[in-house]
Amino acid sequence: MQLKGVDFLVTFRCPSVCKHCSYKAGFHRTGFIHVAHVTTWLRAIHERHQLEIVTIHGGEPFLYMDIVKHIVNEARLLNIPKIHIITNGYWAKEDRGTEKKLQGLKQMGLTGITVSIDAFHQEYVPIEHAKRAIQWSCALGFETVAVDSYYLGSEKDDNHYNAETERILMDLQTIGGVHFSKYTLRLEGRGADTLSSYLKPQHEIPSGSCPFRFWLGGDFSNPETVEIDHAGNVTLCPGLSIGNARDETLTDILDRYDMRTHPVISLLKETGPIGLYELAKRKGYDGTQAFVDECHLCYTMRKYLKPYYTRFLSPSACY
Ligand code: SF4
């Protein structure tokens, strides 16, 4: 494994309980990453992998500003060129406080910010707050200012959520210097539980390959990024763990990783998520549900198989 990036999932706590959230974040979740762990894990990875980017997200990382500052500071001390944060912008309630927060982070070394904006986030976060976070990020000259939006099905699919996302984004087009990205929502986590009825299920069990997480880069044989959450889970997709950095050293986890020996990833790689479906059926799954796509199938089967592979299908709160 030759990593270029690490994502710190600071917390799964969040002021929003978005319907589509893969991690099932929300105000009911507890726990946050310990700064001592951040220091140990970041140094251990950087020693061997020459990181190009550290990303800070959650949950909502701005709930824990001291931890965010610690991560930025540690990454800057290691001369990691890109230090990025992903937020829903809930905290940008007025200009003065927003400018101060962002200015402070920029001076410490934060290079980029992504604000999540779509119909799902805006059920909880006033668009004025998210917009203010973007405007001040642009005004302060961050290297990267981005907006990520998720669509149900394709961007062209006609449904209430996509129409609302388009309406919300229209208002932001006049802000210059922002990189807008539109993504198809993968039905997993809370999204699988609450949104699958909006999409047409496939007649057959989806038999394609795993699309792998675009934001990680690489593939299962050589992922370019790992995510690490506050409980130490080192994951390659929400709820898909390759080890726990609080139980063993991160270096051991990364050095030992071989997709061929991981009971879930090896199947995903060989057969796609349909392999998990066949495994679940052998373990008693009744096979009656229909699925929207490969990720919907994968998540549902992983949820079923979780008691058999607790160590690998973690953190359990994603399910
Ligand atoms: S198929 Fe499974 S492991 Fe692959 S990206 Fe989709 S949910 Fe993640």
Side-chain angles (χ1 to χ4, degrees):
M1 190 187 295
Q2 190 56 51
L3 295 178
K4 292 181 180 171
V6 60
D7 293 359
F8 286 114
L9 305 175
V10 167
T11 180
F12 291 121
R13 194 167 172 79
C14 185
S16 311
V17 192
C18 294
K19 287 191 179 77
H20 71 310
C21 186
S22 311
Y23 302 98
K24 295 195 171 179
F27 44 74
H28 58 291
R29 300 288 299 272
T30 54
F32 50 84
I33 206 162
H34 286 245
V35 291
H37 287 145
V38 168
T39 303
T40 308
W41 295 338
L42 191 54
R43 289 180 186 184
I45 299 182
H46 193 58
E47 207 167 276
R48 306 246 184 135
H49 295 267
Q50 289 302 310
L51 292 173
E52 294 171 12
I53 182 164
V54 169
T55 304
I56 306 164
H57 66 118
E60 175 48 56
F62 275 83
L63 288 172
Y64 296 98
M65 270 302 275
D66 288 348
I67 300 174
V68 168
K69 286 179 185 169
H70 180 84
I71 298 173
V72 173
N73 198 38
E74 285 292 318
R76 199 204 40 195
L77 286 174
L78 295 172
N79 290 320
I80 296 168
K82 290 185 182 165
I83 310 170
H84 198 97
I85 196 162
I86 302 175
T87 177
N88 63 25
Y90 84 96
W91 43 271
K93 293 174 184 163
E94 39 78 32
D95 284 328
R96 205 144 160 241
T98 304
E99 180 187 14
K100 202 170 158 208
K101 265 196 180 84
L102 289 171
Q103 180 74 275
L105 289 171
K106 184 159 187 290
Q107 280 167 354
M108 290 185 76
L110 189 74
T111 61
I113 181 163
T114 293
V115 183
S116 304
I117 293 185
D118 48 41
F120 307 111
H121 289 89
Q122 268 47 73
E123 283 189 338
Y124 293 90
V125 179
I127 186 61
E128 297 74 32
H129 295 190
K131 191 174 174 183
R132 185 176 289 112
I134 299 165
Q135 284 171 322
W136 275 109
S137 299
C138 291
L140 291 167
F142 280 93
E143 277 171 31
T144 310
V145 182
V147 168
D148 280 359
S149 308
Y150 281 89
Y151 286 77
L152 260 183
S154 97
E155 182 191 332
K156 307 266 180 262
D157 278 17
D158 183 17
N159 59 60
H160 156 74
Y161 289 103
N162 291 357
E164 181 61 7
T165 297
E166 283 294 292
R167 190 193 65 73
I168 294 165
L169 288 178
M170 197 79 79
D171 185 39
L172 304 177
Q173 299 303 321
T174 51
I175 311 175
V178 182
H179 182 76
F180 289 90
S181 298
K182 298 178 175 183
Y183 300 110
T184 294
L185 180 66
R186 299 289 175 188
L187 281 192
E188 55 182 335
R190 197 176 289 127
D193 301 340
T194 61
L195 296 168
S196 55
S197 60
Y198 285 87
L199 295 168
K200 218 165 144 204
Q202 296 188 15
H203 293 302
E204 308 288 334
I205 301 298
S207 57
S209 55
C210 157
F212 199 62
R213 288 298 149 168
F214 66 87
W215 67 79
L216 297 183
D219 57 23
F220 276 133
S221 56
N222 196 13
E224 291 178 357
T225 307
V226 290
E227 298 187 329
I228 310 179
D229 69 28
H230 72 89
N233 295 294
V234 182
T235 52
L236 294 181
C237 192
L240 185 56
S241 172
I242 61 168
N244 189 303
R246 289 175 74 161
D247 296 340
E248 55 185 323
T249 70
L250 188 54
T251 308
D252 282 351
I253 294 169
L254 299 179
D255 287 354
R256 189 196 56 220
Y257 174 70
D258 178 344
M259 66 168 192
R260 293 166 302 185
T261 59
H262 190 291
V264 178
I265 292 176
S266 57
L267 259 185
L268 280 170
K269 188 69 188 171
E270 271 167 35
T271 61
I274 200 166
L276 298 182
Y277 172 79
E278 281 151 8
L279 175 63
K281 273 184 44 173
R282 289 198 293 278
K283 292 192 181 292
Y285 176 70
D286 66 11
T288 52
Q289 190 179 340
F291 303 96
V292 168
D293 60 18
E294 280 71 15
C295 291
H296 186 207
L297 171 66
C298 175
Y299 166 76
T300 312
M301 292 306 104
R302 287 195 272 128
K303 189 173 179 174
Y304 182 84
L305 292 166
K306 187 165 68 82
Y308 301 96
Y309 301 99
T310 324
R311 197 153 64 87
F312 302 100
L313 298 176
S314 190
S316 65
C318 285
Y319 293 96

